[in-house]
Short mmCIF file of all heavy atoms in Angstrom, two decimals:
data_model
loop_
_atom_site.label_atom_id
_atom_site.label_comp_id
_atom_site.label_asym_id
_atom_site.label_seq_id
_atom_site.Cartn_x
_atom_site.Cartn_y
_atom_site.Cartn_z
N MET A 69 -94.96 -74.36 206.82
CA MET A 69 -94.23 -73.15 206.44
C MET A 69 -92.73 -73.42 206.52
O MET A 69 -92.26 -74.04 207.45
CB MET A 69 -94.62 -72.02 207.39
CG MET A 69 -94.26 -70.65 206.82
SD MET A 69 -94.79 -69.34 207.95
CE MET A 69 -93.37 -69.24 209.04
N ALA A 70 -92.02 -72.93 205.56
CA ALA A 70 -90.56 -73.15 205.54
C ALA A 70 -89.89 -72.29 206.60
O ALA A 70 -90.36 -71.19 206.91
CB ALA A 70 -90.01 -72.81 204.17
N LYS A 71 -88.83 -72.81 207.13
CA LYS A 71 -88.06 -72.07 208.13
C LYS A 71 -87.46 -70.83 207.49
O LYS A 71 -86.86 -70.92 206.42
CB LYS A 71 -86.97 -72.96 208.70
CG LYS A 71 -86.15 -72.35 209.81
CD LYS A 71 -86.96 -72.13 211.06
CE LYS A 71 -86.10 -71.46 212.13
NZ LYS A 71 -86.89 -71.14 213.32
N THR A 72 -87.62 -69.69 208.13
CA THR A 72 -87.18 -68.44 207.50
C THR A 72 -86.09 -67.71 208.28
O THR A 72 -85.76 -66.58 207.95
CB THR A 72 -88.37 -67.49 207.32
OG1 THR A 72 -88.99 -67.30 208.59
CG2 THR A 72 -89.38 -68.05 206.34
N TRP A 73 -85.55 -68.33 209.34
CA TRP A 73 -84.54 -67.63 210.14
C TRP A 73 -83.61 -68.64 210.80
O TRP A 73 -84.07 -69.46 211.61
CB TRP A 73 -85.20 -66.79 211.24
CG TRP A 73 -84.27 -65.93 212.03
CD1 TRP A 73 -83.67 -66.24 213.22
CD2 TRP A 73 -83.84 -64.61 211.71
NE1 TRP A 73 -82.91 -65.19 213.63
CE2 TRP A 73 -82.98 -64.18 212.72
CE3 TRP A 73 -84.10 -63.75 210.62
CZ2 TRP A 73 -82.38 -62.93 212.71
CZ3 TRP A 73 -83.49 -62.50 210.61
CH2 TRP A 73 -82.65 -62.10 211.65
N TYR A 74 -82.37 -68.62 210.41
CA TYR A 74 -81.37 -69.46 211.07
C TYR A 74 -79.99 -68.95 210.69
O TYR A 74 -79.82 -68.24 209.70
CB TYR A 74 -81.54 -70.95 210.70
CG TYR A 74 -81.56 -71.24 209.23
CD1 TYR A 74 -80.37 -71.38 208.52
CD2 TYR A 74 -82.76 -71.38 208.55
CE1 TYR A 74 -80.39 -71.66 207.16
CE2 TYR A 74 -82.79 -71.66 207.20
CZ TYR A 74 -81.59 -71.79 206.51
OH TYR A 74 -81.62 -72.05 205.17
N PRO A 75 -78.99 -69.26 211.51
CA PRO A 75 -77.67 -68.70 211.28
C PRO A 75 -76.92 -69.36 210.13
O PRO A 75 -77.10 -70.54 209.84
CB PRO A 75 -76.94 -68.95 212.60
CG PRO A 75 -77.64 -70.09 213.23
CD PRO A 75 -79.06 -70.06 212.74
N ILE A 76 -76.11 -68.53 209.50
CA ILE A 76 -75.19 -69.01 208.46
C ILE A 76 -73.80 -68.50 208.86
O ILE A 76 -73.63 -67.32 209.13
CB ILE A 76 -75.58 -68.44 207.08
CG1 ILE A 76 -76.98 -68.93 206.70
CG2 ILE A 76 -74.54 -68.83 206.03
CD1 ILE A 76 -77.55 -68.22 205.48
N ILE A 77 -72.86 -69.42 208.93
CA ILE A 77 -71.50 -69.08 209.37
C ILE A 77 -70.60 -68.81 208.18
O ILE A 77 -70.57 -69.60 207.22
CB ILE A 77 -70.88 -70.25 210.18
CG1 ILE A 77 -71.79 -70.67 211.33
CG2 ILE A 77 -69.50 -69.86 210.70
CD1 ILE A 77 -72.05 -69.61 212.34
N ASP A 78 -69.87 -67.72 208.27
CA ASP A 78 -68.84 -67.42 207.26
C ASP A 78 -67.54 -68.10 207.71
O ASP A 78 -66.87 -67.63 208.62
CB ASP A 78 -68.66 -65.90 207.15
CG ASP A 78 -67.67 -65.52 206.06
OD1 ASP A 78 -66.79 -66.35 205.73
OD2 ASP A 78 -67.76 -64.40 205.55
N ASP A 79 -67.23 -69.19 207.06
CA ASP A 79 -66.07 -69.99 207.46
C ASP A 79 -64.76 -69.23 207.33
O ASP A 79 -63.79 -69.50 208.04
CB ASP A 79 -66.00 -71.26 206.60
CG ASP A 79 -66.49 -72.47 207.38
OD1 ASP A 79 -66.68 -72.36 208.60
OD2 ASP A 79 -66.67 -73.53 206.74
N GLU A 80 -64.70 -68.29 206.41
CA GLU A 80 -63.48 -67.51 206.21
C GLU A 80 -63.21 -66.63 207.43
O GLU A 80 -62.06 -66.44 207.83
CB GLU A 80 -63.63 -66.62 204.98
CG GLU A 80 -63.95 -67.38 203.71
CD GLU A 80 -62.69 -67.80 202.98
OE1 GLU A 80 -61.91 -66.91 202.61
OE2 GLU A 80 -62.48 -69.01 202.82
N LYS A 81 -64.28 -66.09 208.00
CA LYS A 81 -64.13 -65.18 209.14
C LYS A 81 -64.07 -65.92 210.47
O LYS A 81 -63.43 -65.47 211.41
CB LYS A 81 -65.32 -64.21 209.19
CG LYS A 81 -65.34 -63.20 208.06
CD LYS A 81 -66.52 -62.25 208.29
CE LYS A 81 -66.60 -61.20 207.17
NZ LYS A 81 -67.83 -60.40 207.31
N CYS A 82 -64.75 -67.04 210.58
CA CYS A 82 -64.87 -67.76 211.85
C CYS A 82 -63.51 -68.23 212.35
O CYS A 82 -62.74 -68.82 211.60
CB CYS A 82 -65.80 -68.96 211.67
SG CYS A 82 -65.92 -69.99 213.13
N THR A 83 -63.24 -67.95 213.63
CA THR A 83 -61.98 -68.35 214.25
C THR A 83 -62.11 -69.65 215.03
O THR A 83 -61.13 -70.14 215.60
CB THR A 83 -61.51 -67.26 215.23
OG1 THR A 83 -62.49 -67.12 216.27
CG2 THR A 83 -61.32 -65.92 214.52
N GLY A 84 -63.32 -70.20 215.09
CA GLY A 84 -63.53 -71.44 215.83
C GLY A 84 -63.51 -71.27 217.34
O GLY A 84 -63.20 -72.21 218.07
N CYS A 85 -63.89 -70.08 217.81
CA CYS A 85 -63.83 -69.83 219.26
C CYS A 85 -64.90 -70.58 220.04
O CYS A 85 -64.80 -70.75 221.24
CB CYS A 85 -63.94 -68.33 219.53
SG CYS A 85 -65.59 -67.65 219.22
N MET A 86 -65.95 -71.01 219.36
CA MET A 86 -67.05 -71.80 219.94
C MET A 86 -67.97 -70.99 220.86
O MET A 86 -68.81 -71.57 221.55
CB MET A 86 -66.54 -73.05 220.70
CG MET A 86 -65.88 -74.06 219.80
SD MET A 86 -67.02 -74.68 218.55
CE MET A 86 -65.98 -74.56 217.11
N THR A 87 -67.84 -69.69 220.84
CA THR A 87 -68.75 -68.86 221.63
C THR A 87 -70.20 -69.12 221.24
O THR A 87 -71.07 -69.27 222.10
CB THR A 87 -68.41 -67.37 221.44
OG1 THR A 87 -67.08 -67.15 221.86
CG2 THR A 87 -69.35 -66.48 222.23
N CYS A 88 -70.47 -69.19 219.97
CA CYS A 88 -71.85 -69.40 219.51
C CYS A 88 -72.36 -70.78 219.93
O CYS A 88 -73.51 -70.91 220.37
CB CYS A 88 -71.94 -69.21 218.00
SG CYS A 88 -70.82 -70.28 217.05
N VAL A 89 -71.53 -71.77 219.78
CA VAL A 89 -71.92 -73.14 220.13
C VAL A 89 -72.25 -73.24 221.62
O VAL A 89 -73.25 -73.84 222.01
CB VAL A 89 -70.79 -74.14 219.77
CG1 VAL A 89 -71.16 -75.56 220.18
CG2 VAL A 89 -70.49 -74.08 218.29
N ASN A 90 -71.40 -72.61 222.43
CA ASN A 90 -71.61 -72.67 223.88
C ASN A 90 -72.76 -71.80 224.34
O ASN A 90 -73.39 -72.08 225.36
CB ASN A 90 -70.32 -72.25 224.59
CG ASN A 90 -69.21 -73.26 224.37
OD1 ASN A 90 -69.45 -74.45 224.28
ND2 ASN A 90 -67.98 -72.77 224.26
N PHE A 91 -73.04 -70.75 223.61
CA PHE A 91 -74.08 -69.82 224.04
C PHE A 91 -75.48 -70.27 223.70
O PHE A 91 -76.40 -70.17 224.53
CB PHE A 91 -73.83 -68.44 223.43
CG PHE A 91 -74.98 -67.51 223.68
CD1 PHE A 91 -75.18 -66.94 224.93
CD2 PHE A 91 -75.89 -67.23 222.67
CE1 PHE A 91 -76.27 -66.10 225.17
CE2 PHE A 91 -76.98 -66.40 222.90
CZ PHE A 91 -77.16 -65.82 224.15
N CYS A 92 -75.70 -70.72 222.50
CA CYS A 92 -77.08 -70.95 222.04
C CYS A 92 -77.81 -71.94 222.94
O CYS A 92 -77.40 -73.09 223.07
CB CYS A 92 -77.11 -71.45 220.60
SG CYS A 92 -78.82 -71.78 220.06
N PRO A 93 -78.88 -71.50 223.59
CA PRO A 93 -79.61 -72.38 224.51
C PRO A 93 -80.56 -73.34 223.80
O PRO A 93 -81.24 -74.13 224.46
CB PRO A 93 -80.37 -71.39 225.40
CG PRO A 93 -80.50 -70.14 224.60
CD PRO A 93 -79.40 -70.12 223.58
N HIS A 94 -80.58 -73.28 222.48
CA HIS A 94 -81.54 -74.09 221.74
C HIS A 94 -80.91 -75.21 220.93
O HIS A 94 -81.60 -75.88 220.15
CB HIS A 94 -82.39 -73.20 220.84
CG HIS A 94 -83.13 -72.15 221.60
ND1 HIS A 94 -84.28 -72.42 222.32
CD2 HIS A 94 -82.85 -70.84 221.82
CE1 HIS A 94 -84.70 -71.31 222.91
NE2 HIS A 94 -83.85 -70.34 222.63
N GLY A 95 -79.61 -75.39 221.10
CA GLY A 95 -78.96 -76.52 220.44
C GLY A 95 -78.91 -76.42 218.93
O GLY A 95 -78.91 -77.43 218.23
N VAL A 96 -78.86 -75.19 218.43
CA VAL A 96 -78.83 -75.00 216.97
C VAL A 96 -77.49 -75.47 216.40
O VAL A 96 -77.44 -76.03 215.30
CB VAL A 96 -79.09 -73.52 216.62
CG1 VAL A 96 -78.87 -73.25 215.14
CG2 VAL A 96 -80.52 -73.14 217.02
N TYR A 97 -76.43 -75.26 217.17
CA TYR A 97 -75.09 -75.60 216.70
C TYR A 97 -74.54 -76.86 217.36
O TYR A 97 -74.95 -77.23 218.45
CB TYR A 97 -74.10 -74.49 217.10
CG TYR A 97 -74.35 -73.14 216.52
CD1 TYR A 97 -74.89 -72.14 217.31
CD2 TYR A 97 -73.97 -72.83 215.22
CE1 TYR A 97 -75.08 -70.86 216.80
CE2 TYR A 97 -74.15 -71.56 214.71
CZ TYR A 97 -74.71 -70.58 215.49
OH TYR A 97 -74.88 -69.32 215.00
N ARG A 98 -73.55 -77.41 216.70
CA ARG A 98 -72.66 -78.34 217.38
C ARG A 98 -71.27 -78.12 216.80
O ARG A 98 -71.12 -77.59 215.69
CB ARG A 98 -73.11 -79.78 217.21
CG ARG A 98 -72.70 -80.37 215.90
CD ARG A 98 -72.79 -81.88 215.85
NE ARG A 98 -72.45 -82.26 214.48
CZ ARG A 98 -72.86 -83.36 213.88
NH1 ARG A 98 -73.61 -84.21 214.52
NH2 ARG A 98 -72.50 -83.61 212.65
N GLU A 99 -70.29 -78.47 217.59
CA GLU A 99 -68.90 -78.34 217.16
C GLU A 99 -68.58 -79.48 216.19
O GLU A 99 -68.95 -80.62 216.41
CB GLU A 99 -67.99 -78.39 218.39
CG GLU A 99 -66.54 -78.07 218.10
CD GLU A 99 -65.72 -79.31 217.72
OE1 GLU A 99 -66.07 -80.40 218.16
OE2 GLU A 99 -64.75 -79.12 216.98
N ASN A 100 -67.92 -79.12 215.11
CA ASN A 100 -67.56 -80.14 214.13
C ASN A 100 -66.21 -79.78 213.52
O ASN A 100 -66.11 -78.82 212.75
CB ASN A 100 -68.63 -80.23 213.04
CG ASN A 100 -68.33 -81.30 212.01
OD1 ASN A 100 -67.38 -82.08 212.17
ND2 ASN A 100 -69.09 -81.35 210.95
N GLY A 101 -65.19 -80.50 213.91
CA GLY A 101 -63.85 -80.25 213.37
C GLY A 101 -63.33 -78.87 213.69
O GLY A 101 -62.63 -78.27 212.88
N GLY A 102 -63.67 -78.37 214.88
CA GLY A 102 -63.15 -77.07 215.29
C GLY A 102 -63.94 -75.89 214.77
O GLY A 102 -63.59 -74.74 215.02
N LYS A 103 -65.01 -76.17 214.07
CA LYS A 103 -65.87 -75.09 213.57
C LYS A 103 -67.32 -75.37 213.97
O LYS A 103 -67.70 -76.53 214.16
CB LYS A 103 -65.78 -74.98 212.05
CG LYS A 103 -64.47 -74.39 211.52
CD LYS A 103 -64.37 -72.91 211.84
CE LYS A 103 -63.02 -72.32 211.48
NZ LYS A 103 -62.85 -72.04 210.07
N PRO A 104 -68.12 -74.32 214.11
CA PRO A 104 -69.52 -74.54 214.43
C PRO A 104 -70.27 -75.03 213.19
O PRO A 104 -70.01 -74.59 212.08
CB PRO A 104 -70.02 -73.15 214.83
CG PRO A 104 -69.11 -72.20 214.14
CD PRO A 104 -67.78 -72.90 214.01
N GLU A 105 -71.17 -75.96 213.44
CA GLU A 105 -72.02 -76.45 212.36
C GLU A 105 -73.47 -76.22 212.79
O GLU A 105 -73.84 -76.48 213.93
CB GLU A 105 -71.77 -77.94 212.13
CG GLU A 105 -72.61 -78.51 211.01
CD GLU A 105 -72.43 -80.02 210.84
OE1 GLU A 105 -71.73 -80.64 211.66
OE2 GLU A 105 -73.01 -80.56 209.91
N VAL A 106 -74.28 -75.73 211.87
CA VAL A 106 -75.69 -75.51 212.16
C VAL A 106 -76.42 -76.83 211.91
O VAL A 106 -76.62 -77.24 210.77
CB VAL A 106 -76.27 -74.39 211.26
CG1 VAL A 106 -77.77 -74.21 211.51
CG2 VAL A 106 -75.54 -73.08 211.51
N VAL A 107 -76.77 -77.51 213.00
CA VAL A 107 -77.37 -78.83 212.88
C VAL A 107 -78.88 -78.84 213.14
O VAL A 107 -79.57 -79.76 212.73
CB VAL A 107 -76.68 -79.87 213.80
CG1 VAL A 107 -75.31 -80.22 213.26
CG2 VAL A 107 -76.60 -79.39 215.22
N ASN A 108 -79.36 -77.81 213.85
CA ASN A 108 -80.79 -77.76 214.15
C ASN A 108 -81.39 -76.39 213.80
O ASN A 108 -81.87 -75.67 214.68
CB ASN A 108 -81.04 -78.06 215.63
CG ASN A 108 -80.83 -79.51 215.96
OD1 ASN A 108 -81.35 -80.40 215.30
ND2 ASN A 108 -80.05 -79.76 217.00
N PRO A 109 -81.38 -76.05 212.53
CA PRO A 109 -81.90 -74.73 212.15
C PRO A 109 -83.34 -74.50 212.57
O PRO A 109 -83.73 -73.36 212.85
CB PRO A 109 -81.77 -74.72 210.61
CG PRO A 109 -81.60 -76.14 210.20
CD PRO A 109 -80.94 -76.82 211.36
N LEU A 110 -84.12 -75.57 212.68
CA LEU A 110 -85.52 -75.41 213.07
C LEU A 110 -85.69 -74.92 214.49
O LEU A 110 -86.73 -74.37 214.86
CB LEU A 110 -86.28 -76.74 212.90
CG LEU A 110 -86.40 -77.25 211.47
CD1 LEU A 110 -87.10 -78.60 211.46
CD2 LEU A 110 -87.15 -76.26 210.59
N GLU A 111 -84.64 -75.12 215.32
CA GLU A 111 -84.71 -74.70 216.72
C GLU A 111 -84.34 -73.23 216.91
O GLU A 111 -84.53 -72.67 217.98
CB GLU A 111 -83.78 -75.56 217.58
CG GLU A 111 -84.17 -77.03 217.61
CD GLU A 111 -85.58 -77.23 218.15
OE1 GLU A 111 -85.93 -76.59 219.15
OE2 GLU A 111 -86.33 -78.02 217.55
N CYS A 112 -83.79 -72.62 215.88
CA CYS A 112 -83.38 -71.22 216.01
C CYS A 112 -84.62 -70.34 216.17
O CYS A 112 -85.61 -70.51 215.47
CB CYS A 112 -82.59 -70.79 214.77
SG CYS A 112 -81.96 -69.10 214.88
N VAL A 113 -84.52 -69.40 217.11
CA VAL A 113 -85.65 -68.53 217.44
C VAL A 113 -85.72 -67.37 216.45
O VAL A 113 -84.74 -66.65 216.26
CB VAL A 113 -85.51 -68.00 218.88
CG1 VAL A 113 -86.62 -67.03 219.21
CG2 VAL A 113 -85.49 -69.16 219.88
N GLU A 114 -86.86 -67.21 215.85
CA GLU A 114 -87.09 -66.16 214.86
C GLU A 114 -86.60 -64.81 215.40
O GLU A 114 -87.00 -64.39 216.48
CB GLU A 114 -88.59 -66.09 214.56
CG GLU A 114 -88.94 -65.40 213.29
CD GLU A 114 -88.90 -66.33 212.07
OE1 GLU A 114 -88.62 -67.53 212.23
OE2 GLU A 114 -89.15 -65.83 210.97
N PHE A 115 -85.73 -64.18 214.65
CA PHE A 115 -85.21 -62.84 214.93
C PHE A 115 -84.29 -62.75 216.15
O PHE A 115 -83.91 -61.66 216.56
CB PHE A 115 -86.34 -61.80 215.03
CG PHE A 115 -87.22 -61.80 213.83
CD1 PHE A 115 -88.60 -61.91 213.97
CD2 PHE A 115 -86.68 -61.72 212.56
CE1 PHE A 115 -89.43 -61.93 212.85
CE2 PHE A 115 -87.50 -61.73 211.43
CZ PHE A 115 -88.87 -61.84 211.58
N CYS A 116 -83.94 -63.88 216.74
CA CYS A 116 -82.90 -63.89 217.78
C CYS A 116 -81.59 -63.53 217.12
O CYS A 116 -81.29 -63.97 216.01
CB CYS A 116 -82.80 -65.27 218.42
SG CYS A 116 -81.45 -65.43 219.64
N ARG A 117 -80.78 -62.70 217.80
CA ARG A 117 -79.44 -62.37 217.31
C ARG A 117 -78.40 -62.60 218.40
O ARG A 117 -77.33 -62.00 218.39
CB ARG A 117 -79.38 -60.90 216.87
CG ARG A 117 -80.19 -60.59 215.62
CD ARG A 117 -80.06 -59.14 215.24
NE ARG A 117 -80.95 -58.81 214.13
CZ ARG A 117 -80.64 -58.97 212.85
NH1 ARG A 117 -79.44 -59.41 212.51
NH2 ARG A 117 -81.48 -58.65 211.90
N GLY A 118 -78.75 -63.46 219.34
CA GLY A 118 -77.88 -63.67 220.48
C GLY A 118 -76.47 -64.07 220.10
O GLY A 118 -75.50 -63.48 220.55
N CYS A 119 -76.35 -65.07 219.25
CA CYS A 119 -75.02 -65.55 218.90
C CYS A 119 -74.29 -64.55 218.00
O CYS A 119 -73.08 -64.37 218.13
CB CYS A 119 -75.09 -66.92 218.24
SG CYS A 119 -76.21 -67.03 216.83
N GLN A 120 -75.02 -63.87 217.15
CA GLN A 120 -74.39 -62.87 216.28
C GLN A 120 -73.75 -61.75 217.11
O GLN A 120 -72.64 -61.30 216.82
CB GLN A 120 -75.43 -62.27 215.34
CG GLN A 120 -74.85 -61.29 214.33
CD GLN A 120 -75.91 -60.67 213.45
OE1 GLN A 120 -76.88 -60.09 213.95
NE2 GLN A 120 -75.77 -60.81 212.16
N LYS A 121 -74.46 -61.32 218.15
CA LYS A 121 -73.95 -60.24 219.00
C LYS A 121 -72.67 -60.64 219.72
O LYS A 121 -71.83 -59.80 220.02
CB LYS A 121 -75.02 -59.83 220.03
CG LYS A 121 -76.14 -59.01 219.42
CD LYS A 121 -77.18 -58.68 220.49
CE LYS A 121 -78.39 -58.00 219.85
NZ LYS A 121 -79.59 -58.19 220.68
N LEU A 122 -72.55 -61.91 220.03
CA LEU A 122 -71.39 -62.37 220.80
C LEU A 122 -70.21 -62.77 219.92
O LEU A 122 -69.08 -62.87 220.41
CB LEU A 122 -71.79 -63.57 221.66
CG LEU A 122 -72.76 -63.27 222.79
CD1 LEU A 122 -73.18 -64.56 223.47
CD2 LEU A 122 -72.15 -62.31 223.79
N CYS A 123 -70.45 -63.02 218.67
CA CYS A 123 -69.36 -63.50 217.81
C CYS A 123 -68.30 -62.43 217.64
O CYS A 123 -68.57 -61.35 217.14
CB CYS A 123 -69.92 -63.88 216.44
SG CYS A 123 -68.61 -64.32 215.27
N PRO A 124 -67.06 -62.71 218.07
CA PRO A 124 -66.00 -61.71 218.00
C PRO A 124 -65.49 -61.49 216.58
O PRO A 124 -64.78 -60.52 216.33
CB PRO A 124 -64.90 -62.30 218.89
CG PRO A 124 -65.14 -63.76 218.89
CD PRO A 124 -66.61 -63.97 218.69
N ALA A 125 -65.87 -62.35 215.67
CA ALA A 125 -65.34 -62.26 214.31
C ALA A 125 -66.37 -61.76 213.30
O ALA A 125 -66.08 -61.68 212.10
CB ALA A 125 -64.82 -63.64 213.88
N GLU A 126 -67.57 -61.43 213.79
CA GLU A 126 -68.66 -61.00 212.91
C GLU A 126 -68.87 -61.99 211.76
O GLU A 126 -69.02 -61.63 210.60
CB GLU A 126 -68.41 -59.59 212.37
CG GLU A 126 -68.36 -58.57 213.49
CD GLU A 126 -68.24 -57.12 213.00
OE1 GLU A 126 -68.15 -56.90 211.77
OE2 GLU A 126 -68.24 -56.23 213.86
N ALA A 127 -68.86 -63.25 212.13
CA ALA A 127 -68.94 -64.33 211.13
C ALA A 127 -70.35 -64.90 210.98
O ALA A 127 -70.56 -65.80 210.19
CB ALA A 127 -67.97 -65.44 211.51
N ILE A 128 -71.32 -64.36 211.76
CA ILE A 128 -72.66 -64.93 211.74
C ILE A 128 -73.65 -63.97 211.08
O ILE A 128 -73.74 -62.81 211.44
CB ILE A 128 -73.15 -65.24 213.18
CG1 ILE A 128 -72.19 -66.24 213.84
CG2 ILE A 128 -74.58 -65.80 213.14
CD1 ILE A 128 -72.51 -66.53 215.30
N ARG A 129 -74.33 -64.50 210.08
CA ARG A 129 -75.46 -63.77 209.52
C ARG A 129 -76.64 -64.73 209.53
O ARG A 129 -76.52 -65.87 209.95
CB ARG A 129 -75.15 -63.26 208.10
CG ARG A 129 -74.90 -64.36 207.09
CD ARG A 129 -74.37 -63.77 205.77
NE ARG A 129 -74.05 -64.86 204.84
CZ ARG A 129 -74.91 -65.38 203.97
NH1 ARG A 129 -76.14 -64.89 203.87
NH2 ARG A 129 -74.56 -66.37 203.19
N TYR A 130 -77.79 -64.25 209.10
CA TYR A 130 -78.99 -65.08 209.18
C TYR A 130 -79.69 -65.23 207.85
O TYR A 130 -79.88 -64.24 207.14
CB TYR A 130 -79.98 -64.50 210.21
CG TYR A 130 -79.39 -64.50 211.60
CD1 TYR A 130 -78.81 -63.35 212.10
CD2 TYR A 130 -79.35 -65.65 212.35
CE1 TYR A 130 -78.21 -63.35 213.35
CE2 TYR A 130 -78.76 -65.67 213.59
CZ TYR A 130 -78.19 -64.52 214.09
OH TYR A 130 -77.59 -64.52 215.31
N PHE A 131 -80.05 -66.44 207.58
CA PHE A 131 -80.96 -66.66 206.47
C PHE A 131 -82.25 -65.94 206.83
O PHE A 131 -82.74 -66.06 207.95
CB PHE A 131 -81.23 -68.16 206.29
CG PHE A 131 -82.22 -68.44 205.20
CD1 PHE A 131 -81.79 -68.55 203.88
CD2 PHE A 131 -83.57 -68.57 205.48
CE1 PHE A 131 -82.70 -68.80 202.85
CE2 PHE A 131 -84.49 -68.81 204.45
CZ PHE A 131 -84.06 -68.92 203.15
N GLY A 132 -82.78 -65.18 205.92
CA GLY A 132 -84.02 -64.45 206.18
C GLY A 132 -83.79 -63.03 206.67
O GLY A 132 -84.75 -62.28 206.84
N ASP A 133 -82.53 -62.66 206.90
CA ASP A 133 -82.23 -61.31 207.39
C ASP A 133 -82.24 -60.34 206.21
O ASP A 133 -81.60 -60.59 205.19
CB ASP A 133 -80.85 -61.30 208.05
CG ASP A 133 -80.63 -60.06 208.89
OD1 ASP A 133 -81.52 -59.20 208.93
OD2 ASP A 133 -79.56 -59.96 209.53
N THR A 134 -82.95 -59.25 206.38
CA THR A 134 -83.06 -58.30 205.27
C THR A 134 -82.27 -57.01 205.53
O THR A 134 -82.15 -56.18 204.65
CB THR A 134 -84.54 -57.92 205.02
OG1 THR A 134 -85.11 -57.51 206.26
CG2 THR A 134 -85.29 -59.11 204.47
N ARG A 135 -81.76 -56.87 206.75
CA ARG A 135 -81.09 -55.59 207.02
C ARG A 135 -79.60 -55.64 206.67
O ARG A 135 -79.05 -56.70 206.43
CB ARG A 135 -81.31 -55.16 208.45
CG ARG A 135 -80.37 -55.82 209.45
CD ARG A 135 -80.65 -55.29 210.84
NE ARG A 135 -79.55 -55.67 211.75
CZ ARG A 135 -79.63 -55.53 213.06
NH1 ARG A 135 -80.72 -55.05 213.61
NH2 ARG A 135 -78.61 -55.88 213.81
S1 SF4 B 138 -79.90 -66.75 216.83
FE1 SF4 B 138 -80.39 -67.35 218.93
S2 SF4 B 138 -81.53 -69.26 218.77
FE2 SF4 B 138 -80.53 -68.91 216.80
S3 SF4 B 138 -78.61 -70.00 216.89
FE3 SF4 B 138 -78.18 -67.93 217.61
S4 SF4 B 138 -78.44 -67.93 219.84
FE4 SF4 B 138 -79.37 -69.81 218.99
S1 SF4 B 139 -68.73 -67.15 217.72
FE1 SF4 B 139 -68.16 -66.56 215.64
S2 SF4 B 139 -65.95 -66.94 215.50
FE2 SF4 B 139 -66.70 -68.02 217.30
S3 SF4 B 139 -67.14 -70.10 216.55
FE3 SF4 B 139 -69.05 -68.93 216.40
S4 SF4 B 139 -69.06 -68.11 214.30
FE4 SF4 B 139 -66.96 -68.77 214.76
#
């Protein structure tokens, strides 16, 4: 089954604060040139919104999100 839930970063909005990178306990992100990069989308927990809730710039949305 194809992965149906993982974060997508809006680079225009992202300030590079690294809150999401530091928070995610599943290693979905890594820092790359001062911006978060989604390197392990398969590790993202279905319907988790942990990093989205913490992002001060509202720069995180999810592939598979319908709301
Ligand atoms: S939604 Fe949850 S599991 Fe997925 S990247 Fe964010 S904190 Fe990690
Ligand atoms: S928490 Fe938001 S603003 Fe901060 S690095 Fe992640 S996506 Fe960018």
